[in-house]
Every structure is written in structure tokens, then in C-alpha cells.
Amino acid sequence: MASNVSRRTNKKSNSIKKGDATSNQPKTKKKSHPGKAKYLVICLALIAVAVCFIYFYRSSESKPLMKSDSPKQKGKRSSKSTTSTDKTRSPTKDDAKEIPPELKDFNASIQKEFKITPIKIEGQTLKFQELKSNLSSSVRAYVIENFLSDFECDNLMRVHKKYLEIFSKNDPILCFDSLPTLKKNLKELKLKYKVSNKDFIVGTTCLNESFSSQLKPHFKWSYSTAFYPGENKFSTAYAERIQDATGLKQQNGGKFQITSYPIGVGYKSHTDCIVYEKGKGELRDRYATVLVYLQDVEEGGETEFPLLGIKVKPKKGLALVWNSMDQDGNCEPLSLHDAKKVKKGHKYIIQRWYYYKSFLTLGKRPPEPSLPKRKREQPRVSCDEYEQGSCRWYDEWNYDHIKEYAANVRNMA
């Protein structure tokens, strides 16, 4: 019985609804998943950021420029960004070249005066004398006795003759500063040649080789050979001697030029500098000249300053020093001088010009031009302006007869 009762009880309990059974039991919390929640929050945040970005991007494209964003200002900003990029880019050939160190560090030297100081050579004090002029001017001229020894004079003449022999194997090419100068020379020599620009080598004011050879027997000229500072021991010692005796600075000196004058040859009246209107001259011009006679001349060959009433006869070892510019850098017209024609004997001199304002290439042997085309060791003869110049033979070539160079010099003046 008891068992039946219990079974009934069980049935009765089984007939109770599940909901009722559970409602009477204590409630228990379900287990949460925090990883899934965080992931969901992050996704929602990313979506929100993306939506905002798209919204602002589209609105910025459609809205008009603000005043602060005017096209000019936009250009300025873009140029800044370009500039910052340019700073890191590799240089190109269009970029400005850097100034060479020798030019960047060069300081021009000014030579506005000179003063003769007695110096000793081999224990003997050299005597000097100022040459008095007829007129009051800024030009001062002096002579210094025995400035070069007999040995030095003889060796300089020997070297000069050696180079004349080497370069005289070829006929010289004759160059003129202009066609009118050529015509005036031909007229003086009573030569009847019809000349035109076609007789000149293209790009130059030099006659072609054939015409130069035809004219050679009719012309007379002096002969010059040159050496430059540092090319031999004598150049260094001689430059120091000049500086000690005159105060003319070595850095303001040009090349050393040895010149010889055969019988019947001289040089017309000229100034060593170019005469301009006062205050408008070129400062890189010849301020002073140091000229030494290398041997006596039997007759003729004097150096004369016609306006100053000064005349110097060649004497072996005698130095003649004068200035051609005043202290302000103006070329002095009263420095006009000439070399009288040699009547008997042979005249030899060595001279060096000192410039009022130095420049980088002063005293350095320049590269020779490719024009005119010529043979190896072929000399040139330059005939300067007819009224103030004469013809002179040279063992080196310069750019004075290159048309393009001469035109550039005129444009710079």
C-alpha cells in the first residue's frame, strides 16, 4: 500500500507543469562572454569612424574655397612643399655652379703709389735719381743704376735669342686690330693691295698665312718673348728685388717681357694704360712700368716722354721706373712715351707692368686660343692701332685678335 501511495504521489508530481516546478526553484545567472562584447563595441566604433570620414571628405569636396584657401595661397603652400622636396633632390646641370675656392677667397690688391728705396746688391747700394719734368703732373719717373748685373743682362739676352731662333722657323701670322689699321700700314709702305674682310681668317682679325708671308718682307717689327712668375728662379728673385726697391707689390705684377729692337725699329707714342674720362676708367690697368736696358745702344733707341721733356738713353743694367696712373686710378695722359728708332746697334730691354688693381689671372700664363689655326711654334705679329701703336712679334698667342672676345671687351667697357 505504501508503495502504491508513493507511486500516486509521483504521478501527481509528474503532472505538475514544468514552469511551475522551475518557478519555485531559486534563479541562477547565465554565464556571460566578455570577449564577444568587446569585439562588438570595436566594430561599431570603426564603422562610426568610417562613416564620419566619408561624410567630411564628401563635404570638403563640395564646399567652396574659404578666403584663407585662395588659389594664390594654395600655390604658396604647394611651392613650399616643392621646395622642401627640392632640398633633398640630387643636383642637376641646371643648378648654379659653386664659386671656385680660388675665386671666392681672392682679395684684390690695390697699388696706388710707389716709393724708391736704396737697396744693396752684392754689398753695393744702388744709386737712383728722380727725373724732373717740365710740367706738374702725377707722373714720377726714376732711374736706378746697375739694377741688373752684366751677368743677368747677358743671360736674359741669350734666352731671348734662343726663343727667337726656335719660333723663327715658321713665318709669323700677321694680325691687325682692324681693317683700317691694315690699310693705313699698307699706304705708309706704298703697297697697292686690295684688301677686304675676306683676307682675314674667319673669326679673327689675322691675315691668312699666304697673305701674311707676302707682306713679311715689307714690314718691320720688334720682337718679344715672355716668361711668367714662378717659371724660373730668376723671376722670383727679380720680383722681390723690384718690390724692395720700389714698393711695387708682387701680386700686382704681370708677366716679364723681353723685347729687342733691330735697326730702324722703334715704337710709336702711347700710354701704357687706357685714357678714359676721369672716374670712369678701368682699375685693372697698368699703374706702373719697370723697364731695364740689357745693353748699351750706340745710337738711337731712347725712351722719351715728349710731354714731360724726359729722355733716357739705353745703358746696360739701368732701370727706368714710372707710374702711368694717379692715386685715384685714372690714366695720366702726360705719361705718353715712345721708343725711338734704333739707328746703330741693337736694343734689348726687359719690362714688367704693375696693375692698379690686381685680378685672379694676373701673372699667370693663360691658355692659348685655338684660333687662328696655325703650325706648332708659329709666332704672331700684332699691329696695334695705327696712330698709337707699332707692329711687334710675339712667341705666344692671346685673345686680342679673336673677334668674339674683342666684342665682349668693348661691351664691358
Side-chain angles (χ1 to χ4, degrees):
M1 294 265 315
S3 59
N4 290 335
V5 172
S6 61
R7 279 199 290 270
R8 284 192 199 106
T9 306
N10 289 341
K11 284 182 181 179
K12 189 176 180 179
S13 62
N14 288 337
S15 64
I16 299 173
K17 293 181 180 178
K18 288 183 179 180
D20 295 337
T22 56
S23 61
N24 293 330
Q25 294 177 359
K27 293 181 180 180
T28 58
K29 293 181 179 180
K30 293 183 179 180
K31 292 182 179 180
S32 61
H33 299 279
K36 291 182 179 180
K38 287 183 180 179
Y39 177 76
L40 181 61
V41 171
I42 292 171
C43 288
L44 291 173
L46 290 174
I47 293 170
V49 170
V51 170
C52 291
F53 176 80
I54 293 171
Y55 172 79
F56 285 111
Y57 176 77
R58 288 183 176 178
S59 62
S60 64
E61 279 188 331
S62 59
K63 74 175 182 178
L65 291 172
M66 296 174 65
K67 288 183 179 179
S68 61
D69 289 330
S70 63
K72 288 184 179 179
Q73 289 175 330
K74 274 199 165 185
K76 287 181 181 178
R77 285 200 292 270
S78 63
S79 65
K80 285 182 180 178
S81 62
T82 304
T83 304
S84 62
T85 306
D86 288 345
K87 288 181 180 179
T88 57
R89 67 181 174 82
S90 57
T92 65
K93 63 180 180 180
D94 295 328
D95 294 333
K97 294 182 179 179
E98 291 186 4
I99 299 174
E102 61 271 18
L103 182 59
K104 185 178 180 181
D105 300 333
F106 177 76
N107 291 316
S109 171
I110 302 297
Q111 183 80 60
K112 58 171 61 178
E113 61 183 359
F114 75 100
K115 181 181 179 181
I116 302 299
T117 302
I119 62 171
K120 287 186 177 182
I121 297 180
E122 297 179 355
Q124 292 188 351
T125 302
L126 302 185
K127 296 179 181 180
F128 70 91
Q129 177 187 353
E130 183 174 3
L131 304 176
K132 301 297 182 181
S133 66
N134 297 332
L135 301 174
S136 175
S137 74
S138 62
V139 180
R140 293 186 302 148
Y142 296 83
V143 289
I144 308 173
E145 294 185 8
N146 302 313
F147 198 69
L148 288 177
S149 66
D150 288 352
F151 176 79
E152 290 170 326
C153 291
D154 292 341
N155 272 286
L156 288 169
M157 288 190 291
R158 179 182 58 80
V159 172
H160 176 70
K161 292 174 183 177
K162 177 183 177 182
Y163 276 93
L164 288 185
E165 184 180 349
I166 293 172
F167 281 83
S168 294
K169 294 176 182 178
N170 296 307
D171 284 346
I173 294 177
L174 273 62
C175 302
F176 296 81
D177 72 325
S178 64
L179 180 59
T181 295
L182 169 59
K183 290 182 176 180
K184 289 176 182 178
N185 275 280
L186 294 176
K187 184 178 180 180
E188 180 186 357
L189 296 170
K190 298 179 180 180
L191 296 175
K192 296 181 179 180
Y193 284 98
K194 290 184 178 181
V195 294
S196 68
N197 288 322
K198 294 181 180 180
D199 295 307
F200 291 90
I201 298 172
V202 176
T204 75
T205 56
C206 298
L207 298 177
N208 59 58
E209 193 170 349
S210 175
F211 196 11
S212 293
S213 296
Q214 289 180 45
L215 294 180
K216 179 186 173 183
H218 305 285
F219 277 74
K220 290 184 178 181
W221 46 68
S222 53
Y223 295 82
S224 286
T225 57
F227 59 94
Y228 288 76
E231 291 187 346
N232 51 60
K233 292 181 180 180
F234 173 79
S235 67
T236 303
Y238 185 46
E240 291 175 355
R241 186 183 307 176
I242 292 174
Q243 181 167 311
D244 292 341
T246 66
L248 294 171
K249 294 176 282 190
Q250 296 186 47
Q251 58 266 40
N252 288 72
K255 64 182 179 181
F256 301 91
Q257 184 170 286
I258 306 174
T259 304
S260 59
Y261 300 80
I263 291 177
V265 176
Y267 206 91
K268 294 178 182 178
S269 295
H270 64 283
T271 55
D272 286 346
C273 51
I274 300 175
V275 179
Y276 291 95
E277 185 180 341
K278 275 202 170 184
K280 296 184 179 180
E282 170 59 67
L283 296 180
R284 294 172 298 181
D285 207 345
R286 298 168 180 173
Y287 165 76
T289 304
V290 178
L291 182 154
V292 182
Y293 303 100
L294 301 181
Q295 75 171 15
D296 298 344
V297 178
E298 293 182 52
E299 188 178 354
E302 300 90 350
T303 303
E304 183 177 21
F305 296 81
L307 301 178
L308 298 177
I310 295 174
K311 195 173 187 178
V312 180
K313 182 176 176 61
K315 181 182 178 182
K316 191 172 187 176
L318 181 71
L320 171 61
V321 185
W322 74 92
N323 65 293
S324 299
M325 301 175 76
D326 62 21
Q327 289 192 346
D328 296 323
N330 299 300
C331 185
E332 176 60 79
L334 293 177
S335 65
L336 187 80
H337 60 282
D338 60 65
K340 296 299 180 183
K341 290 182 179 180
V342 175
K343 296 179 180 179
K344 191 176 182 180
H346 208 114
K347 177 183 175 182
Y348 291 87
I349 63 169
I350 180 172
Q351 61 186 344
R352 191 186 195 195
W353 293 286
Y354 285 80
Y355 289 70
Y356 185 92
K357 183 178 181 180
S358 66
F359 45 94
L360 185 63
T361 58
L362 180 62
K364 299 176 182 177
R365 186 179 289 275
E368 294 193 348
S370 57
L371 290 177
K373 290 184 178 180
R374 56 194 180 274
K375 299 184 180 74
R376 178 180 172 83
E377 296 175 345
Q378 186 167 21
R380 69 179 167 98
V381 169
S382 290
C383 298
D384 299 328
E385 185 180 353
Y386 181 80
E387 285 74 16
Q388 291 191 351
S390 300
C391 296
R392 179 165 287 174
W393 180 103
Y394 293 93
D395 67 339
E396 61 176 352
W397 286 81
N398 61 19
Y399 288 78
D400 290 348
H401 303 295
I402 307 297
K403 285 186 176 180
E404 184 178 358
Y405 172 82
N408 289 335
V409 171
R410 286 194 296 271
N411 291 335
M412 291 172 63

